[in-house]
Amino acid sequence: MILVRQEIGDVLRDLRLQKGRTLRQVAGRASVALGYLSEVERGQKEASSEILASVAEALDVPISTIMREVGERIAVLEGIQPFPDVVPDDLVASVDVELSLR
């Protein structure tokens, strides 16, 4: 059985790590309890739309990017589409911008 909350958590964790941010940093910026965000990333808790929007903002990523990635991962799990072998352009661009600001 595919759990959407697990895929959301995996995407949030992957984006956080790509941006080089700690769980504590993202939780602080999103005004979300550290333990709760950890549970969301591990797929143990459902994230409300408000929490998801706050975390997306804390990661400087549009919520549409997060939801698109979740949808693509679920489609792969359902066997609807093959696993992409490239990183989406919008994720590459956001990481490139982030790195250039350092």
Side-chain angles (χ1 to χ4, degrees):
M1 171 173 40
I2 297 170
L3 295 176
V4 175
R5 72 173 182 253
Q6 183 67 51
E7 297 308 316
I8 290 172
D10 289 346
V11 168
L12 292 177
R13 182 184 313 104
D14 290 348
L15 287 169
R16 179 177 59 78
L17 294 174
Q18 286 174 13
K19 299 242 177 203
R21 297 190 184 146
T22 66
L23 197 57
R24 185 175 306 280
Q25 289 170 326
V26 174
R29 285 188 68 192
S31 299
V32 175
L34 176 67
Y36 182 76
L37 183 56
S38 175
E39 289 177 317
V40 168
E41 281 194 359
R42 288 181 280 138
Q44 295 176 336
K45 295 280 185 181
E46 298 276 351
S48 68
S49 57
E50 291 86 0
I51 296 291
L52 195 53
S54 294
V55 173
E57 187 174 324
L59 290 169
D60 300 316
V61 175
I63 198 164
S64 60
T65 299
I66 293 169
M67 299 312 292
R68 183 173 42 252
E69 179 65 22
V70 168
E72 289 174 1
R73 288 178 183 220
I74 290 172
V76 168
L77 292 171
E78 292 175 330
I80 294 173
Q81 72 183 42
F83 190 75
D85 60 342
V86 296
V87 176
D89 290 339
D90 53 348
L91 288 180
V92 171
S94 66
V95 171
D96 288 344
V97 168
E98 181 74 22
L99 292 175
S100 69
L101 296 175
R102 290 185 182 180

